[in-house]
Amino acid sequence: MRWSRYFWYTSKEEPAEAQSPSHRLLLKGGFIKQVSAGIYEFTPPGLRVLRKIENIVRKEMDRSGAQEVLLSVLNPAELWKETGRWELYGRELFTLKDRNGRDYCLGPTHEEEITDLVRSYVNSYRQLPLILYQIQVKFRDEKRPRFGLIRAREFIMKDAYSFDTDEFSAMLSYETVKFAYERIFKKLRLKTLMAQASVGAIGGISSHEFVVLTDYGEARVAYCEGCGYCANAEIVSLKKPQEEQEEEKLLQEVHTPGTDTIEKLASYLGVPARKIIKAVLHIVNESKPVMFLIRGDRAVDENKVEAVLGTENFRLAEDKEVYELLKTTKGFIGPFNLPPSVEVYWDNSTYGIKNAVIAFNKPDYHYINANPGRDFKQEKFVDVCQVEEKDPCPQCGAPLKVSRGLEVGHIFLLGTRYSEPMKAFYKDAQGQEKPIIMGCYGIGISRCVSAVVEQYHDEKGIKWPTTVAPFELDIICVNPSDQEQKEVSEKLYMLAQEHGIETIYDDRDESPGFKFADADLCGFPYRLVVGKKVKEGKVELQNRHTGERIDLDIDRAVEEAKKLIEEDKK
RNA sequence: CGGGGUGUGGCUCAGGUGGCAGAGCGUCGGCUUCGGGAGCCGAAGGUCAGGGGUUCAAGUCCCCUCACCCCGACCA
């Protein structure tokens, strides 16, 4: 491709709206263009990257025995009503009506459609197992799209679905896709962790996430370098700690004016936050008050709260509600003299604490030296504590590491969540009708574009791995008005194409610095610089990843580049 | 959905106390230059997000709406 004729425009200015490196560099490098919040267009080079990722995914899925289909984007409401998700999916579903007033949605995921497709053809155990997949656009009306392609409202996803006769067979399908995913991310050069995950809104039995460690992910992953345990932080269980060994001191009521936060209270009393018991009041289903008590230095994990309460319909109590129920204000809530409507849970972190600071619903006062058993009762213990670095690994007890991560893949063993309500049944060898056991498996293709940039960039720009680079080789003619340089560049460009190297030839009439800067920004793994050294019969081959530069004889240059590129792609 | 912020040329931004709409980059024409986003000369380019209000006069002050970005809770 000759850059002078190519639809590719980079920017010298930093895009004002972008924060994360991938968002910033993809915009600045002219790979994507924003249309609206969470909606992006791909330019020719951006699309080249996307297609390469798609093709890697496609190849590995095919290799695992999955078969590609293409489902509809515009989905009639009827199917979604069969599974109840027309209502359950909520406001994240983009919905619309046709001219006759019939309801549709733009598919955010395709369990309903694929189940409908399969049930219309499959009715015997002889037709199973089966894995189908597609690579297609998805729509989700996200509450907060952000970081460019990382969380978009319109995005490209590879979604696969498995259909089996029984759980054992389903588990095999699950493992098959899991292995395919490992190969895919390896080929994309993405360093991922595979984390145990909660099944969430899609529903199901078992689930793993493939997570890229970056600062701009929204998942928190806890992992253990000792035993290899790795899980989404929201499902890591924290047990009761050892009982503290301390002599119980005399309970005292202390005046603590204005200490409405743990920080203020800790510094006012001169005690560490871990010696404070904090109380958090939630309102469940807009009616029931529930109090959680947790150690002062720890945070409540709302996902765990959801698991304890069995509903996502809860929120923190407002000041007014706190006053009506407990006649106190935030910061002075405690588990004493409560109205019977208030349910109390103690987080495991509060177990065995000695001489603690705790509030008792009297504004501006706390108890000090409060001790469980003697001064208050702890009945129901639960685990609602947000996992943090150095917490013990639930498997081996070694200190955990915690990182922000970006979820690029997710696999679920669904069971009969969709086949049962949609009556996707098969007949077994005995003629018995049974629901198909399903699994579903996603990879965020467009998100992977960002994930790669997050892992491969420096202050100058992107450093594409050769397997996904828009072009493998950039030929720069330093001075196109120099006849000799021009001729050599043209010759090398032709030769590179003959060798099957994906080449962009920067023949633009721009200054050398301009072209070098673009090459760094756009991240081609290899760069052939045709400059004044042609007089000595040499050109320079540069490696974007290592920064290495070597002078090569003109006739050897392309072969040499080819060798390195092939090596990278292995 | 809660909290914070920003909307001025294609892009990045400046425009105290109301008084002729600006710069740099980019674009177009010309000259010069060529190993790290070159230099000089000239030109085009604006519904100041939209609507309403105050005023002799609004980019600037007030009200409403919209869009986008950031922080939190949720998805690949």
Side-chain angles (χ1 to χ4, degrees):
Chain A
M1 185 57 64
R2 286 171 190 273
W3 204 326
S4 62
R5 297 303 314 148
Y6 196 41
F7 190 76
W8 191 358
Y9 302 98
T10 60
S11 162
K12 196 166 154 181
E13 302 287 350
E14 290 294 330
E17 74 272 20
Q19 274 295 305
S20 68
S22 63
H23 191 195
R24 200 168 57 75
L25 293 171
L26 289 170
L27 283 173
K28 192 176 178 203
F31 292 93
I32 57 172
K33 155 97 168 62
Q34 181 171 20
V35 177
S36 176
I39 304 178
Y40 291 86
E41 290 164 338
F42 287 82
T43 61
L47 184 61
R48 286 182 73 100
V49 175
L50 190 75
R51 290 276 186 256
K52 283 205 169 177
I53 295 174
E54 280 182 16
N55 286 334
I56 288 170
V57 171
R58 184 172 281 121
K59 195 171 146 196
E60 293 301 335
M61 291 305 293
D62 288 345
R63 205 159 81 144
S64 75
Q67 302 172 53
E68 188 170 4
V69 295
L70 189 60
L71 303 174
S72 68
V73 179
L74 191 56
N75 302 144
E78 284 73 53
L79 289 178
W80 286 73
K81 286 178 179 163
E82 284 188 44
T83 61
R85 286 212 295 183
W86 184 256
E87 280 78 28
L88 285 175
Y89 214 92
R91 305 226 288 146
E92 216 161 275
L93 201 60
F94 272 109
T95 59
L96 66 160
K97 285 182 193 296
D98 71 7
R99 62 169 73 200
N100 298 318
R102 293 180 46 180
D103 288 314
Y104 290 82
C105 67
L106 297 176
T109 174
H110 281 82
E111 283 77 12
E112 282 78 3
E113 280 65 34
I114 197 82
T115 306
D116 179 55
L117 177 67
V118 167
R119 73 180 169 184
S120 62
Y121 292 112
V122 170
N123 35 46
S124 159
Y125 72 99
R126 293 174 204 266
Q127 295 167 282
L128 300 175
L130 178 66
I131 303 177
L132 299 175
Y133 77 97
Q134 65 169 341
I135 294 175
Q136 205 205 43
V137 64
K138 296 277 184 277
F139 293 88
R140 293 183 190 174
D141 198 356
E142 293 283 346
K143 284 170 213 155
R144 184 150 100 86
R146 61 171 169 167
F147 302 147
L149 303 179
I150 287 178
R151 193 188 326 175
R153 294 193 296 169
E154 175 180 332
F155 60 99
I156 309 289
M157 179 159 125
K158 187 285 306 172
D159 47 326
Y161 306 88
S162 64
F163 303 85
D164 286 273
T165 52
D166 56 75
E167 281 211 18
F168 179 74
S169 169
M171 208 59 220
L172 291 182
S173 294
Y174 187 84
E175 291 297 317
T176 300
V177 178
K178 198 160 96 181
F179 287 133
Y181 275 27
E182 281 167 357
R183 293 196 302 269
I184 287 165
F185 293 121
K186 203 168 157 201
K187 203 81 187 179
L188 297 178
R189 306 295 186 246
L190 279 173
K191 290 180 273 291
T192 56
L193 291 176
M194 193 176 70
Q196 295 173 32
S198 78
V199 288
I202 290 183
I205 301 160
S206 168
S207 166
H208 287 88
E209 290 169 353
F210 289 80
V211 178
V212 169
L213 297 185
T214 83
D215 290 340
Y216 288 90
E218 59 289 273
R220 288 178 78 240
V221 187
Y223 58 98
C224 173
E225 286 173 335
C227 69
Y229 175 83
C230 180
N232 190 307
E234 71 198 39
I235 65 157
V236 176
S237 60
L238 292 174
K239 299 188 175 66
K240 291 176 189 166
Q242 294 269 310
E243 213 169 306
E244 290 181 345
Q245 297 302 319
E246 227 176 84
E247 200 177 319
E248 295 191 358
K249 297 187 214 157
L250 192 66
L251 182 73
Q252 272 184 289
E253 192 177 311
V254 180
H255 187 50
T256 53
T259 55
D260 56 354
T261 66
I262 294 292
E263 293 74 44
K264 287 185 202 165
L265 180 61
S267 78
Y268 184 86
L269 291 172
V271 299
R274 63 186 311 282
K275 295 299 265 184
I276 299 170
I277 294 175
K278 111 180 131 183
V280 182
L281 192 67
H282 283 87
I283 303 293
V284 183
N285 292 324
E286 293 303 321
S287 59
K288 180 159 185 58
V290 176
M291 184 183 289
F292 290 99
L293 292 123
I294 188 167
R295 228 170 62 187
D297 60 335
R298 304 304 301 250
V300 171
D301 185 324
E302 304 226 325
N303 292 296
K304 288 185 173 183
V305 171
E306 185 180 329
V308 168
L309 297 174
T311 172
E312 55 182 323
N313 187 4
F314 62 86
R315 55 174 175 80
L316 283 176
E318 285 163 16
D319 293 350
K320 205 177 70 189
E321 293 164 324
V322 169
Y323 187 78
E324 277 166 13
L325 276 161
L326 308 173
K327 299 284 175 282
T328 189
T329 57
K330 279 183 184 168
F332 304 97
I333 302 172
F336 299 91
N337 304 317
L338 298 175
S341 65
V342 181
E343 194 164 352
V344 178
Y345 291 105
W346 296 82
D347 182 73
N348 286 341
S349 62
T350 60
Y351 175 80
I353 196 167
K354 288 275 154 56
N355 300 319
V357 176
I358 191 166
F360 54 97
N361 301 326
K362 181 171 170 184
D364 291 338
Y365 283 88
H366 282 86
Y367 284 135
I368 62 168
N369 300 328
N371 285 285
R374 187 189 73 180
D375 306 316
F376 54 86
K377 276 202 195 75
Q378 294 175 299
E379 281 166 352
K380 286 174 268 186
F381 277 99
V382 292
D383 171 26
V384 290
C385 185
Q386 195 170 81
V387 171
E388 272 158 40
E389 189 102 5
K390 298 205 179 86
D391 279 336
C393 169
Q395 220 164 252
C396 74
L400 286 170
K401 297 242 180 194
V402 176
S403 277
R404 291 259 280 193
L406 177 58
E407 189 183 328
V408 288
H410 202 155
I411 59 180
F412 296 88
L413 193 54
L414 293 171
T416 59
R417 165 68 181 87
Y418 298 92
S419 52
E420 194 98 58
M422 292 186 71
K423 301 189 171 52
F425 297 140
Y426 71 96
K427 280 213 171 79
D428 69 10
Q430 282 74 44
Q432 285 273 320
E433 199 158 71
K434 289 183 175 163
I436 297 172
I437 310 289
M438 288 175 58
C440 74
Y441 316 89
I443 289 180
I445 302 273
S446 45
R447 178 180 279 185
C448 280
V449 176
S450 287
V452 170
V453 179
E454 289 292 333
Q455 282 196 347
Y456 295 95
H457 71 272
D458 61 16
E459 57 296 337
K460 288 180 178 170
I462 301 170
K463 304 194 281 189
W464 294 111
T466 307
T467 53
V468 299
F471 294 95
E472 296 160 344
L473 181 67
D474 177 27
I475 297 176
I476 292 182
C477 182
V478 173
N479 181 3
S481 50
D482 177 305
Q483 265 316 308
E484 198 180 358
Q485 288 186 24
K486 181 89 180 166
E487 275 166 30
V488 170
S489 304
E490 292 282 342
K491 200 179 86 189
L492 291 175
Y493 174 49
M494 293 304 158
L495 201 57
Q497 284 179 305
E498 279 167 30
H499 277 73
I501 301 173
E502 296 175 12
T503 309
I504 185 152
Y505 168 29
D506 196 344
D507 60 340
R508 294 175 298 177
D509 190 16
E510 296 286 354
S511 71
F514 184 97
K515 289 184 273 199
F516 288 135
D518 260 0
D520 289 333
L521 173 63
C522 299
F524 314 107
Y526 295 98
R527 178 189 322 175
L528 216 40
V529 181
V530 182
K532 51 194 173 195
K533 278 178 273 187
V534 289
K535 290 201 177 11
E536 304 143 38
K538 303 273 189 191
V539 289
E540 189 177 282
L541 184 65
Q542 299 185 7
N543 181 316
R544 178 72 177 91
H545 287 263
T546 62
E548 198 184 352
R549 302 170 177 207
I550 45 171
D551 287 336
L552 294 171
D553 291 335
I554 291 171
D555 8 308
R556 277 189 52 237
V558 169
E559 271 172 59
E560 205 59 37
K562 173 84 178 168
K563 225 159 62 188
L564 293 166
I565 288 164
E566 290 311 314
E567 194 59 35
D568 285 355
K569 290 201 280 189
K570 273 181 192 157

